Amino acid sequence: MAEDTTKAPEVEQAVKAPKTKGKKGKRVVQSGEVHIQATFNNTIISVSDKSGQVLAASSAGANGFRGSKKGTAYAAQVAAEKVAEIAKRDHGMSSVDVFVKGIGLGRDSAIRAFSTLGMTINSITDKTPIKHGGCRPKGERKP
């Protein structure tokens, strides 16, 4: 018997290497949102883009303040300066809308820190929750 020499050569299957996630580049965001949560014990500040994805965050506790010093206006100012510096340097942010929640001492000083670093503040919105009487209590309705 004659061997068939017209056979196609075997094609080797290329083994695909698993895709690894590479580091994404830093996004350039011209305008964004600043969320300030000011409590009596701490002040937490986060900078996000318009869709809500956080770009940078900081707090008074993360900047070395401990105990009762975390709730001070100076600690909030230091935290705001740090997060504004990161947002400006890494993401090119120049204008922000500010959303403030809470009744702590760091409300005003955090906003002032953003304006002194050269960021344009478009609006300031107070998102502090206000009690309104709550739900109807259990029991029979009184006449």
Side-chain angles (χ1 to χ4, degrees):
M1 254 183 168
E3 288 187 32
D4 189 11
T5 56
T6 60
K7 258 204 231 176
E10 291 183 25
V11 179
E12 292 183 18
Q13 292 289 333
V15 178
K16 291 186 179 178
K19 289 186 179 180
T20 57
K21 284 191 174 182
K23 191 170 183 182
K24 294 181 181 177
K26 303 232 177 178
R27 292 182 296 144
V28 176
V29 181
Q30 293 296 323
S31 64
E33 298 176 348
V34 175
H35 296 270
I36 300 169
Q37 182 181 359
T39 65
F40 289 123
N41 295 321
N42 202 356
T43 302
I44 302 169
I45 303 165
S46 61
V47 176
S48 64
D49 58 5
K50 292 290 185 181
S51 64
Q53 295 184 341
V54 176
L55 303 172
S58 184
S59 67
N63 286 306
F65 293 94
R66 291 286 173 249
S68 60
K69 292 187 175 89
K70 288 194 299 185
T72 62
Y74 177 68
Q77 177 185 344
V78 171
E81 286 172 354
K82 182 177 180 183
V83 77
E85 176 85 20
I86 293 169
K88 201 171 187 183
R89 179 190 52 193
D90 293 347
H91 302 286
M93 191 170 290
S94 60
S95 66
V96 292
D97 296 320
V98 179
F99 297 95
V100 184
K101 182 184 277 190
I103 53 174
L105 299 173
R107 291 167 54 103
D108 299 332
S109 61
I111 296 171
R112 282 199 192 99
F114 274 94
S115 64
T116 55
L117 285 173
M119 287 199 177
T120 306
I121 296 176
N122 298 329
S123 66
I124 300 172
T125 308
D126 191 4
K127 296 282 189 177
T128 305
I130 301 170
K131 293 182 181 180
H132 60 83
C135 302
R136 183 179 72 82
K138 286 183 179 180
E140 188 179 326
R141 288 193 183 264
K142 308 293 189 274

